[in-house]
Amino acid sequence: TRAIMAPNRLSSRSRLLWTPLFLAALLLLVNGTVIYAIQTAPHFLDAELGKRFEASAHIAGLLIQPDELDALFPDTSDSTALSFDAEMDAVEAGDRVREEWWRLAGGAGASNILLLGPDHRLVLALRESSAADPHRAALDEAAFARALIGEAAHSRLFHEGDTYLKAGYAPLPH
């Protein structure tokens, strides 16, 4: 009977040794996976948020009708374009566009939508407070340049004080 018990004793010692080693390896694997997920999640979330902002910027551009675009960007070579009526048309067009943009911003979770001209000049903003600080509109010059050549883009995530800033850029299709 002693010969029969010896393999069981050896087997139970082997189990006592391998079980904690297996659990330690499993714990290291799970911890490594969690740490990797925590480190890579901001990058993937930033990319997803960027795609969402690109889509919102594209939709915001599509919401501007050709007649509104003409009113927002009057022809400066025509002397009548600078008249009081042209300015009133621009204000009315801006109000119509802002109304549509309010709905879009609410659905997209965006705090502001801006229309910038090719000269980086702020033409129209959902929130008027942006006119006081227009340099924040073009956070990423490379992404803004991509929009100027006809491609939707988004900026990196910027941190200024207590505020995180990100922008989506899209060309006007009209």
mmCIF file of all heavy atoms in Angstrom, residues 23-69:
data_model
loop_
_atom_site.group_PDB
_atom_site.id
_atom_site.type_symbol
_atom_site.label_atom_id
_atom_site.label_comp_id
_atom_site.label_asym_id
_atom_site.label_seq_id
_atom_site.Cartn_x
_atom_site.Cartn_y
_atom_site.Cartn_z
ATOM 1 N N LEU A 23 -2.200 30.297 -11.062
ATOM 2 C CA LEU A 23 -2.992 31.450 -10.630
ATOM 3 C C LEU A 23 -2.185 32.745 -10.720
ATOM 4 O O LEU A 23 -2.720 33.786 -11.118
ATOM 5 C CB LEU A 23 -3.510 31.241 -9.210
ATOM 6 C CG LEU A 23 -4.598 30.159 -9.058
ATOM 7 C CD1 LEU A 23 -4.939 29.965 -7.590
ATOM 8 C CD2 LEU A 23 -5.812 30.509 -9.872
ATOM 9 N N ALA A 24 -0.909 32.706 -10.391
ATOM 10 C CA ALA A 24 -0.053 33.897 -10.497
ATOM 11 C C ALA A 24 0.106 34.310 -11.962
ATOM 12 O O ALA A 24 0.025 35.508 -12.291
ATOM 13 C CB ALA A 24 1.301 33.642 -9.860
ATOM 14 N N ALA A 25 0.308 33.332 -12.838
ATOM 15 C CA ALA A 25 0.429 33.646 -14.265
ATOM 16 C C ALA A 25 -0.881 34.217 -14.805
ATOM 17 O O ALA A 25 -0.880 35.169 -15.596
ATOM 18 C CB ALA A 25 0.836 32.399 -15.038
ATOM 19 N N LEU A 26 -1.983 33.645 -14.382
ATOM 20 C CA LEU A 26 -3.289 34.146 -14.805
ATOM 21 C C LEU A 26 -3.523 35.572 -14.306
ATOM 22 O O LEU A 26 -4.019 36.423 -15.049
ATOM 23 C CB LEU A 26 -4.389 33.209 -14.292
ATOM 24 C CG LEU A 26 -5.809 33.520 -14.744
ATOM 25 C CD1 LEU A 26 -5.923 33.394 -16.255
ATOM 26 C CD2 LEU A 26 -6.784 32.585 -14.063
ATOM 27 N N LEU A 27 -3.154 35.830 -13.073
ATOM 28 C CA LEU A 27 -3.283 37.177 -12.511
ATOM 29 C C LEU A 27 -2.424 38.179 -13.273
ATOM 30 O O LEU A 27 -2.874 39.290 -13.580
ATOM 31 C CB LEU A 27 -2.913 37.163 -11.022
ATOM 32 C CG LEU A 27 -3.052 38.484 -10.275
ATOM 33 C CD1 LEU A 27 -4.512 38.896 -10.232
ATOM 34 C CD2 LEU A 27 -2.480 38.358 -8.876
ATOM 35 N N LEU A 28 -1.194 37.800 -13.615
ATOM 36 C CA LEU A 28 -0.328 38.688 -14.398
ATOM 37 C C LEU A 28 -0.911 38.951 -15.781
ATOM 38 O O LEU A 28 -0.871 40.084 -16.279
ATOM 39 C CB LEU A 28 1.066 38.085 -14.523
ATOM 40 C CG LEU A 28 1.947 38.182 -13.293
ATOM 41 C CD1 LEU A 28 3.241 37.403 -13.516
ATOM 42 C CD2 LEU A 28 2.257 39.628 -12.960
ATOM 43 N N LEU A 29 -1.468 37.929 -16.399
ATOM 44 C CA LEU A 29 -2.073 38.093 -17.720
ATOM 45 C C LEU A 29 -3.277 39.030 -17.659
ATOM 46 O O LEU A 29 -3.411 39.935 -18.500
ATOM 47 C CB LEU A 29 -2.487 36.733 -18.270
ATOM 48 C CG LEU A 29 -3.142 36.749 -19.643
ATOM 49 C CD1 LEU A 29 -2.131 37.173 -20.690
ATOM 50 C CD2 LEU A 29 -3.726 35.390 -19.959
ATOM 51 N N VAL A 30 -4.139 38.858 -16.675
ATOM 52 C CA VAL A 30 -5.315 39.724 -16.536
ATOM 53 C C VAL A 30 -4.881 41.152 -16.232
ATOM 54 O O VAL A 30 -5.407 42.110 -16.829
ATOM 55 C CB VAL A 30 -6.267 39.173 -15.444
ATOM 56 C CG1 VAL A 30 -7.337 40.191 -15.093
ATOM 57 C CG2 VAL A 30 -6.896 37.871 -15.906
ATOM 58 N N ASN A 31 -3.935 41.347 -15.324
ATOM 59 C CA ASN A 31 -3.448 42.695 -15.012
ATOM 60 C C ASN A 31 -2.812 43.352 -16.230
ATOM 61 O O ASN A 31 -3.023 44.543 -16.476
ATOM 62 C CB ASN A 31 -2.453 42.658 -13.851
ATOM 63 C CG ASN A 31 -3.135 42.507 -12.514
ATOM 64 O OD1 ASN A 31 -4.333 42.730 -12.394
ATOM 65 N ND2 ASN A 31 -2.366 42.125 -11.513
ATOM 66 N N GLY A 32 -2.034 42.597 -16.987
ATOM 67 C CA GLY A 32 -1.421 43.139 -18.199
ATOM 68 C C GLY A 32 -2.459 43.563 -19.217
ATOM 69 O O GLY A 32 -2.340 44.606 -19.860
ATOM 70 N N THR A 33 -3.504 42.766 -19.366
ATOM 71 C CA THR A 33 -4.585 43.098 -20.296
ATOM 72 C C THR A 33 -5.317 44.362 -19.851
ATOM 73 O O THR A 33 -5.619 45.235 -20.676
ATOM 74 C CB THR A 33 -5.570 41.917 -20.395
ATOM 75 O OG1 THR A 33 -4.853 40.748 -20.793
ATOM 76 C CG2 THR A 33 -6.663 42.208 -21.388
ATOM 77 N N VAL A 34 -5.586 44.473 -18.563
ATOM 78 C CA VAL A 34 -6.276 45.659 -18.044
ATOM 79 C C VAL A 34 -5.410 46.904 -18.221
ATOM 80 O O VAL A 34 -5.895 47.958 -18.663
ATOM 81 C CB VAL A 34 -6.680 45.453 -16.564
ATOM 82 C CG1 VAL A 34 -7.129 46.755 -15.933
ATOM 83 C CG2 VAL A 34 -7.762 44.406 -16.457
ATOM 84 N N ILE A 35 -4.132 46.805 -17.917
ATOM 85 C CA ILE A 35 -3.226 47.951 -18.070
ATOM 86 C C ILE A 35 -3.135 48.361 -19.538
ATOM 87 O O ILE A 35 -3.189 49.540 -19.870
ATOM 88 C CB ILE A 35 -1.839 47.627 -17.478
ATOM 89 C CG1 ILE A 35 -1.942 47.564 -15.956
ATOM 90 C CG2 ILE A 35 -0.797 48.652 -17.906
ATOM 91 C CD1 ILE A 35 -0.706 47.022 -15.277
ATOM 92 N N TYR A 36 -3.028 47.388 -20.448
ATOM 93 C CA TYR A 36 -2.977 47.683 -21.880
ATOM 94 C C TYR A 36 -4.273 48.374 -22.335
ATOM 95 O O TYR A 36 -4.235 49.351 -23.082
ATOM 96 C CB TYR A 36 -2.748 46.404 -22.682
ATOM 97 C CG TYR A 36 -2.800 46.607 -24.159
ATOM 98 C CD1 TYR A 36 -1.734 47.196 -24.834
ATOM 99 C CD2 TYR A 36 -3.913 46.233 -24.902
ATOM 100 C CE1 TYR A 36 -1.774 47.394 -26.203
ATOM 101 C CE2 TYR A 36 -3.974 46.424 -26.263
ATOM 102 C CZ TYR A 36 -2.900 47.014 -26.907
ATOM 103 O OH TYR A 36 -2.955 47.217 -28.261
ATOM 104 N N ALA A 37 -5.404 47.885 -21.863
ATOM 105 C CA ALA A 37 -6.694 48.483 -22.238
ATOM 106 C C ALA A 37 -6.802 49.917 -21.727
ATOM 107 O O ALA A 37 -7.292 50.804 -22.437
ATOM 108 C CB ALA A 37 -7.845 47.641 -21.696
ATOM 109 N N ILE A 38 -6.336 50.154 -20.517
ATOM 110 C CA ILE A 38 -6.389 51.511 -19.956
ATOM 111 C C ILE A 38 -5.474 52.451 -20.728
ATOM 112 O O ILE A 38 -5.829 53.604 -20.972
ATOM 113 C CB ILE A 38 -6.024 51.479 -18.459
ATOM 114 C CG1 ILE A 38 -7.156 50.829 -17.666
ATOM 115 C CG2 ILE A 38 -5.738 52.878 -17.932
ATOM 116 C CD1 ILE A 38 -6.816 50.548 -16.213
ATOM 117 N N GLN A 39 -4.317 51.961 -21.146
ATOM 118 C CA GLN A 39 -3.379 52.819 -21.871
ATOM 119 C C GLN A 39 -3.822 53.097 -23.296
ATOM 120 O O GLN A 39 -3.554 54.164 -23.838
ATOM 121 C CB GLN A 39 -1.984 52.199 -21.871
ATOM 122 C CG GLN A 39 -1.314 52.242 -20.522
ATOM 123 C CD GLN A 39 0.033 51.535 -20.512
ATOM 124 O OE1 GLN A 39 0.369 50.793 -21.428
ATOM 125 N NE2 GLN A 39 0.807 51.775 -19.468
ATOM 126 N N THR A 40 -4.479 52.160 -23.944
ATOM 127 C CA THR A 40 -4.878 52.362 -25.342
ATOM 128 C C THR A 40 -6.275 52.945 -25.493
ATOM 129 O O THR A 40 -6.600 53.464 -26.561
ATOM 130 C CB THR A 40 -4.805 51.037 -26.126
ATOM 131 O OG1 THR A 40 -5.652 50.077 -25.501
ATOM 132 C CG2 THR A 40 -3.386 50.523 -26.199
ATOM 133 N N ALA A 41 -7.095 52.871 -24.459
ATOM 134 C CA ALA A 41 -8.476 53.367 -24.565
ATOM 135 C C ALA A 41 -8.555 54.842 -24.933
ATOM 136 O O ALA A 41 -9.364 55.205 -25.787
ATOM 137 C CB ALA A 41 -9.235 53.089 -23.269
ATOM 138 N N PRO A 42 -7.742 55.742 -24.335
ATOM 139 C CA PRO A 42 -7.853 57.155 -24.732
ATOM 140 C C PRO A 42 -7.601 57.378 -26.218
ATOM 141 O O PRO A 42 -8.263 58.194 -26.853
ATOM 142 C CB PRO A 42 -6.801 57.852 -23.874
ATOM 143 C CG PRO A 42 -6.639 56.979 -22.687
ATOM 144 C CD PRO A 42 -6.833 55.575 -23.200
ATOM 145 N N HIS A 43 -6.658 56.643 -26.788
ATOM 146 C CA HIS A 43 -6.369 56.796 -28.216
ATOM 147 C C HIS A 43 -7.583 56.396 -29.057
ATOM 148 O O HIS A 43 -7.979 57.112 -29.981
ATOM 149 C CB HIS A 43 -5.147 55.957 -28.593
ATOM 150 C CG HIS A 43 -4.930 55.858 -30.068
ATOM 151 N ND1 HIS A 43 -4.468 56.921 -30.813
ATOM 152 C CD2 HIS A 43 -5.151 54.848 -30.945
ATOM 153 C CE1 HIS A 43 -4.393 56.555 -32.082
ATOM 154 N NE2 HIS A 43 -4.803 55.309 -32.188
ATOM 155 N N PHE A 44 -8.179 55.249 -28.737
ATOM 156 C CA PHE A 44 -9.332 54.785 -29.504
ATOM 157 C C PHE A 44 -10.550 55.674 -29.278
ATOM 158 O O PHE A 44 -11.297 55.961 -30.213
ATOM 159 C CB PHE A 44 -9.653 53.334 -29.163
ATOM 160 C CG PHE A 44 -8.609 52.368 -29.656
ATOM 161 C CD1 PHE A 44 -7.932 51.561 -28.773
ATOM 162 C CD2 PHE A 44 -8.294 52.286 -31.002
ATOM 163 C CE1 PHE A 44 -6.954 50.672 -29.221
ATOM 164 C CE2 PHE A 44 -7.323 51.412 -31.463
ATOM 165 C CZ PHE A 44 -6.650 50.603 -30.562
ATOM 166 N N LEU A 45 -10.736 56.132 -28.058
ATOM 167 C CA LEU A 45 -11.857 57.039 -27.782
ATOM 168 C C LEU A 45 -11.673 58.372 -28.497
ATOM 169 O O LEU A 45 -12.629 58.943 -29.017
ATOM 170 C CB LEU A 45 -12.010 57.250 -26.281
ATOM 171 C CG LEU A 45 -12.498 56.043 -25.488
ATOM 172 C CD1 LEU A 45 -12.462 56.344 -23.999
ATOM 173 C CD2 LEU A 45 -13.887 55.641 -25.926
ATOM 174 N N ASP A 46 -10.434 58.871 -28.536
ATOM 175 C CA ASP A 46 -10.139 60.113 -29.246
ATOM 176 C C ASP A 46 -10.418 59.948 -30.743
ATOM 177 O O ASP A 46 -10.980 60.832 -31.374
ATOM 178 C CB ASP A 46 -8.693 60.519 -28.996
ATOM 179 C CG ASP A 46 -8.348 61.846 -29.618
ATOM 180 O OD1 ASP A 46 -9.146 62.795 -29.480
ATOM 181 O OD2 ASP A 46 -7.272 61.950 -30.246
ATOM 182 N N ALA A 47 -10.033 58.806 -31.293
ATOM 183 C CA ALA A 47 -10.292 58.559 -32.713
ATOM 184 C C ALA A 47 -11.792 58.485 -32.994
ATOM 185 O O ALA A 47 -12.270 59.039 -33.991
ATOM 186 C CB ALA A 47 -9.601 57.273 -33.149
ATOM 187 N N GLU A 48 -12.548 57.824 -32.138
ATOM 188 C CA GLU A 48 -13.997 57.730 -32.322
ATOM 189 C C GLU A 48 -14.660 59.095 -32.180
ATOM 190 O O GLU A 48 -15.553 59.446 -32.947
ATOM 191 C CB GLU A 48 -14.610 56.743 -31.331
ATOM 192 C CG GLU A 48 -14.331 55.304 -31.658
ATOM 193 C CD GLU A 48 -14.839 54.884 -33.023
ATOM 194 O OE1 GLU A 48 -15.989 55.215 -33.377
ATOM 195 O OE2 GLU A 48 -14.070 54.234 -33.757
ATOM 196 N N LEU A 49 -14.218 59.874 -31.195
ATOM 197 C CA LEU A 49 -14.759 61.218 -31.031
ATOM 198 C C LEU A 49 -14.415 62.078 -32.247
ATOM 199 O O LEU A 49 -15.238 62.863 -32.718
ATOM 200 C CB LEU A 49 -14.213 61.856 -29.750
ATOM 201 C CG LEU A 49 -14.751 63.232 -29.398
ATOM 202 C CD1 LEU A 49 -16.251 63.179 -29.150
ATOM 203 C CD2 LEU A 49 -14.035 63.772 -28.173
ATOM 204 N N GLY A 50 -13.206 61.910 -32.775
ATOM 205 C CA GLY A 50 -12.813 62.641 -33.979
ATOM 206 C C GLY A 50 -13.697 62.304 -35.165
ATOM 207 O O GLY A 50 -14.121 63.188 -35.917
ATOM 208 N N LYS A 51 -14.011 61.020 -35.332
ATOM 209 C CA LYS A 51 -14.906 60.613 -36.427
ATOM 210 C C LYS A 51 -16.290 61.234 -36.249
ATOM 211 O O LYS A 51 -16.915 61.675 -37.210
ATOM 212 C CB LYS A 51 -15.018 59.095 -36.480
ATOM 213 C CG LYS A 51 -13.764 58.407 -36.960
ATOM 214 C CD LYS A 51 -13.939 56.910 -36.911
ATOM 215 C CE LYS A 51 -12.640 56.196 -37.218
ATOM 216 N NZ LYS A 51 -12.776 54.738 -37.067
ATOM 217 N N ARG A 52 -16.746 61.268 -35.004
ATOM 218 C CA ARG A 52 -18.052 61.866 -34.722
ATOM 219 C C ARG A 52 -18.038 63.357 -35.034
ATOM 220 O O ARG A 52 -18.987 63.889 -35.610
ATOM 221 C CB ARG A 52 -18.390 61.630 -33.255
ATOM 222 C CG ARG A 52 -19.735 62.099 -32.843
ATOM 223 C CD ARG A 52 -19.977 61.733 -31.403
ATOM 224 N NE ARG A 52 -21.312 62.092 -31.005
ATOM 225 C CZ ARG A 52 -21.815 61.829 -29.840
ATOM 226 N NH1 ARG A 52 -21.112 61.184 -28.951
ATOM 227 N NH2 ARG A 52 -23.039 62.197 -29.552
ATOM 228 N N PHE A 53 -16.961 64.042 -34.676
ATOM 229 C CA PHE A 53 -16.857 65.471 -34.961
ATOM 230 C C PHE A 53 -16.722 65.723 -36.457
ATOM 231 O O PHE A 53 -17.263 66.694 -36.969
ATOM 232 C CB PHE A 53 -15.685 66.081 -34.200
ATOM 233 C CG PHE A 53 -16.019 66.467 -32.787
ATOM 234 C CD1 PHE A 53 -16.962 65.778 -32.048
ATOM 235 C CD2 PHE A 53 -15.391 67.531 -32.188
ATOM 236 C CE1 PHE A 53 -17.271 66.129 -30.763
ATOM 237 C CE2 PHE A 53 -15.704 67.903 -30.891
ATOM 238 C CZ PHE A 53 -16.640 67.202 -30.175
ATOM 239 N N GLU A 54 -15.981 64.870 -37.170
ATOM 240 C CA GLU A 54 -15.885 65.013 -38.624
ATOM 241 C C GLU A 54 -17.263 64.892 -39.259
ATOM 242 O O GLU A 54 -17.627 65.682 -40.135
ATOM 243 C CB GLU A 54 -14.963 63.935 -39.213
ATOM 244 C CG GLU A 54 -13.505 64.198 -39.055
ATOM 245 C CD GLU A 54 -12.662 63.106 -39.685
ATOM 246 O OE1 GLU A 54 -13.135 62.425 -40.625
ATOM 247 O OE2 GLU A 54 -11.516 62.943 -39.252
ATOM 248 N N ALA A 55 -18.017 63.885 -38.829
ATOM 249 C CA ALA A 55 -19.364 63.692 -39.379
ATOM 250 C C ALA A 55 -20.259 64.880 -39.047
ATOM 251 O O ALA A 55 -21.016 65.349 -39.906
ATOM 252 C CB ALA A 55 -19.970 62.398 -38.832
ATOM 253 N N SER A 56 -20.164 65.387 -37.825
ATOM 254 C CA SER A 56 -20.977 66.550 -37.447
ATOM 255 C C SER A 56 -20.588 67.776 -38.262
ATOM 256 O O SER A 56 -21.454 68.543 -38.685
ATOM 257 C CB SER A 56 -20.812 66.856 -35.954
ATOM 258 O OG SER A 56 -21.289 65.782 -35.186
ATOM 259 N N ALA A 57 -19.294 67.964 -38.489
ATOM 260 C CA ALA A 57 -18.841 69.103 -39.298
ATOM 261 C C ALA A 57 -19.337 68.964 -40.735
ATOM 262 O O ALA A 57 -19.763 69.944 -41.349
ATOM 263 C CB ALA A 57 -17.316 69.195 -39.266
ATOM 264 N N HIS A 58 -19.298 67.751 -41.255
ATOM 265 C CA HIS A 58 -19.780 67.523 -42.618
ATOM 266 C C HIS A 58 -21.276 67.817 -42.718
ATOM 267 O O HIS A 58 -21.727 68.485 -43.653
ATOM 268 C CB HIS A 58 -19.482 66.077 -43.026
ATOM 269 C CG HIS A 58 -19.903 65.746 -44.412
ATOM 270 N ND1 HIS A 58 -19.279 66.269 -45.521
ATOM 271 C CD2 HIS A 58 -20.900 64.957 -44.876
ATOM 272 C CE1 HIS A 58 -19.872 65.815 -46.606
ATOM 273 N NE2 HIS A 58 -20.855 65.015 -46.244
ATOM 274 N N ILE A 59 -22.045 67.351 -41.749
ATOM 275 C CA ILE A 59 -23.487 67.612 -41.738
ATOM 276 C C ILE A 59 -23.758 69.104 -41.584
ATOM 277 O O ILE A 59 -24.646 69.659 -42.244
ATOM 278 C CB ILE A 59 -24.178 66.803 -40.622
ATOM 279 C CG1 ILE A 59 -24.127 65.321 -40.957
ATOM 280 C CG2 ILE A 59 -25.621 67.248 -40.437
ATOM 281 C CD1 ILE A 59 -24.535 64.410 -39.822
ATOM 282 N N ALA A 60 -22.984 69.781 -40.736
ATOM 283 C CA ALA A 60 -23.163 71.226 -40.560
ATOM 284 C C ALA A 60 -22.926 71.956 -41.875
ATOM 285 O O ALA A 60 -23.646 72.899 -42.206
ATOM 286 C CB ALA A 60 -22.209 71.752 -39.483
ATOM 287 N N GLY A 61 -21.941 71.509 -42.628
ATOM 288 C CA GLY A 61 -21.689 72.111 -43.939
ATOM 289 C C GLY A 61 -22.823 71.848 -44.919
ATOM 290 O O GLY A 61 -23.192 72.716 -45.706
ATOM 291 N N LEU A 62 -23.377 70.639 -44.862
ATOM 292 C CA LEU A 62 -24.478 70.295 -45.762
ATOM 293 C C LEU A 62 -25.759 71.057 -45.435
ATOM 294 O O LEU A 62 -26.600 71.262 -46.312
ATOM 295 C CB LEU A 62 -24.758 68.792 -45.708
ATOM 296 C CG LEU A 62 -23.693 67.883 -46.302
ATOM 297 C CD1 LEU A 62 -24.040 66.426 -46.042
ATOM 298 C CD2 LEU A 62 -23.535 68.141 -47.793
ATOM 299 N N LEU A 63 -25.917 71.467 -44.182
ATOM 300 C CA LEU A 63 -27.130 72.185 -43.784
ATOM 301 C C LEU A 63 -27.188 73.604 -44.344
ATOM 302 O O LEU A 63 -28.245 74.217 -44.360
ATOM 303 C CB LEU A 63 -27.232 72.236 -42.259
ATOM 304 C CG LEU A 63 -27.561 70.915 -41.571
ATOM 305 C CD1 LEU A 63 -27.489 71.068 -40.069
ATOM 306 C CD2 LEU A 63 -28.930 70.420 -41.995
ATOM 307 N N ILE A 64 -26.063 74.116 -44.796
ATOM 308 C CA ILE A 64 -26.046 75.475 -45.350
ATOM 309 C C ILE A 64 -26.482 75.415 -46.808
ATOM 310 O O ILE A 64 -25.843 74.764 -47.631
ATOM 311 C CB ILE A 64 -24.647 76.111 -45.232
ATOM 312 C CG1 ILE A 64 -24.236 76.188 -43.769
ATOM 313 C CG2 ILE A 64 -24.631 77.496 -45.870
ATOM 314 C CD1 ILE A 64 -22.830 76.706 -43.551
ATOM 315 N N GLN A 65 -27.576 76.072 -47.104
ATOM 316 C CA GLN A 65 -28.115 76.104 -48.460
ATOM 317 C C GLN A 65 -27.302 77.080 -49.317
ATOM 318 O O GLN A 65 -26.683 78.009 -48.802
ATOM 319 C CB GLN A 65 -29.581 76.530 -48.435
ATOM 320 C CG GLN A 65 -30.463 75.596 -47.622
ATOM 321 C CD GLN A 65 -30.426 74.173 -48.154
ATOM 322 O OE1 GLN A 65 -30.473 73.953 -49.359
ATOM 323 N NE2 GLN A 65 -30.332 73.214 -47.254
ATOM 324 N N PRO A 66 -27.303 76.892 -50.639
ATOM 325 C CA PRO A 66 -26.524 77.790 -51.513
ATOM 326 C C PRO A 66 -26.888 79.272 -51.360
ATOM 327 O O PRO A 66 -26.008 80.127 -51.383
ATOM 328 C CB PRO A 66 -26.843 77.286 -52.914
ATOM 329 C CG PRO A 66 -27.224 75.859 -52.733
ATOM 330 C CD PRO A 66 -27.889 75.789 -51.392
ATOM 331 N N ASP A 67 -28.184 79.583 -51.192
ATOM 332 C CA ASP A 67 -28.568 80.987 -51.046
ATOM 333 C C ASP A 67 -28.054 81.545 -49.709
ATOM 334 O O ASP A 67 -27.673 82.714 -49.619
ATOM 335 C CB ASP A 67 -30.078 81.180 -51.186
ATOM 336 C CG ASP A 67 -30.864 80.383 -50.151
ATOM 337 O OD1 ASP A 67 -30.383 79.306 -49.744
ATOM 338 O OD2 ASP A 67 -31.958 80.842 -49.760
ATOM 339 N N GLU A 68 -28.041 80.713 -48.673
ATOM 340 C CA GLU A 68 -27.495 81.146 -47.383
ATOM 341 C C GLU A 68 -25.987 81.352 -47.485
ATOM 342 O O GLU A 68 -25.431 82.290 -46.918
ATOM 343 C CB GLU A 68 -27.807 80.113 -46.293
ATOM 344 C CG GLU A 68 -29.282 79.969 -46.010
ATOM 345 C CD GLU A 68 -29.604 78.769 -45.154
ATOM 346 O OE1 GLU A 68 -28.827 77.795 -45.139
ATOM 347 O OE2 GLU A 68 -30.659 78.808 -44.502
ATOM 348 N N LEU A 69 -25.340 80.481 -48.238
ATOM 349 C CA LEU A 69 -23.892 80.601 -48.424
ATOM 350 C C LEU A 69 -23.555 81.890 -49.159
ATOM 351 O O LEU A 69 -22.605 82.593 -48.797
ATOM 352 C CB LEU A 69 -23.367 79.385 -49.184
ATOM 353 C CG LEU A 69 -21.869 79.194 -49.234
ATOM 354 C CD1 LEU A 69 -21.306 79.031 -47.832
ATOM 355 C CD2 LEU A 69 -21.523 77.992 -50.080
#
